[in-house]
Amino acid sequence: MFKALKTQKWAILWTVVTLVLCNIHLPEKEGAGFFFTGFDKMAHLGFFYILSVLLFYGKINYQHSFGFRTLTIFKIILINAIIGGGIELLQWKVFTYRSAEWWDFTSDMLGCFMAVFSYVLLHKLNFNEKTN
C-alpha cells in the first residue's frame, strides 16, 4: 500500500496544487474570466489532464510495465470524477466566493478523457512497435 502511494507522490502533490488553485479567491472582472473568457474552463481541463497523466505515470511505475488495463483506466476516471466533484462541492458549500458549475466538472472530465485517449494511443503505438 505504501509503495503504491509512493509511486503516486507527484499525482498527490498535483491534487493538492489543484485544490488550492481551484479554491483561491480571484479578483472579479466584469464579463470575462481571469485572463480571458473561458480561462477557468481551460484551467480545469489542463489541471485534470495533468492529474490523469501523473496518475498513469505512477501506475506504470508501480507495476513496472506499460500494460494496458481497463480497470486502471476506470479507476483513474473515477478518481478524477471524485476530485472534480469534490472541488465543485467545496466551491458550492465552503468557498462561496467561487461558483460551482457543471461546466467546470465537464472540463475536468474532458481533461481526464484526453489523458485516457493519450494513454490508449501511446499504448497502441508502443505495442505495434514491439510486434513489428
Side-chain angles (χ1 to χ4, degrees), residues 30-132:
E30 292 295 321
F34 187 64
F35 294 109
F36 55 86
T37 303
F39 174 77
D40 182 50
K41 307 310 176 255
M42 294 286 291
H44 277 267
L45 187 136
F47 288 153
F48 281 81
Y49 177 82
I50 293 170
L51 175 60
S52 299
V53 167
L54 290 173
L55 287 167
F56 278 119
Y57 176 75
K59 183 63 174 173
I60 289 166
N61 282 337
Y62 178 71
Q63 65 191 25
H64 300 293
S65 76
F66 192 62
F68 182 87
R69 296 185 180 165
T70 306
L71 183 59
T72 298
I73 292 172
F74 176 75
K75 287 178 182 178
I76 288 174
I77 292 170
L78 183 63
I79 289 168
N80 277 277
I82 290 169
I83 293 170
I87 287 171
E88 296 310 309
L89 285 173
L90 283 171
Q91 289 178 348
W92 179 41
K93 291 292 187 180
V94 179
F95 304 106
T96 55
Y97 49 82
R98 299 294 305 256
S99 63
E101 298 177 15
W102 281 107
W103 286 113
D104 286 348
F105 182 74
T106 302
S107 296
D108 299 342
M109 297 314 295
L110 280 173
C112 172
F113 288 125
M114 286 171 55
V116 168
F117 176 76
S118 300
Y119 173 74
V120 171
L121 181 66
L122 289 173
H123 178 270
K124 182 142 180 69
L125 291 174
N126 188 36
F127 179 75
N128 285 341
E129 284 179 10
K130 289 181 180 177
T131 58
N132 289 335

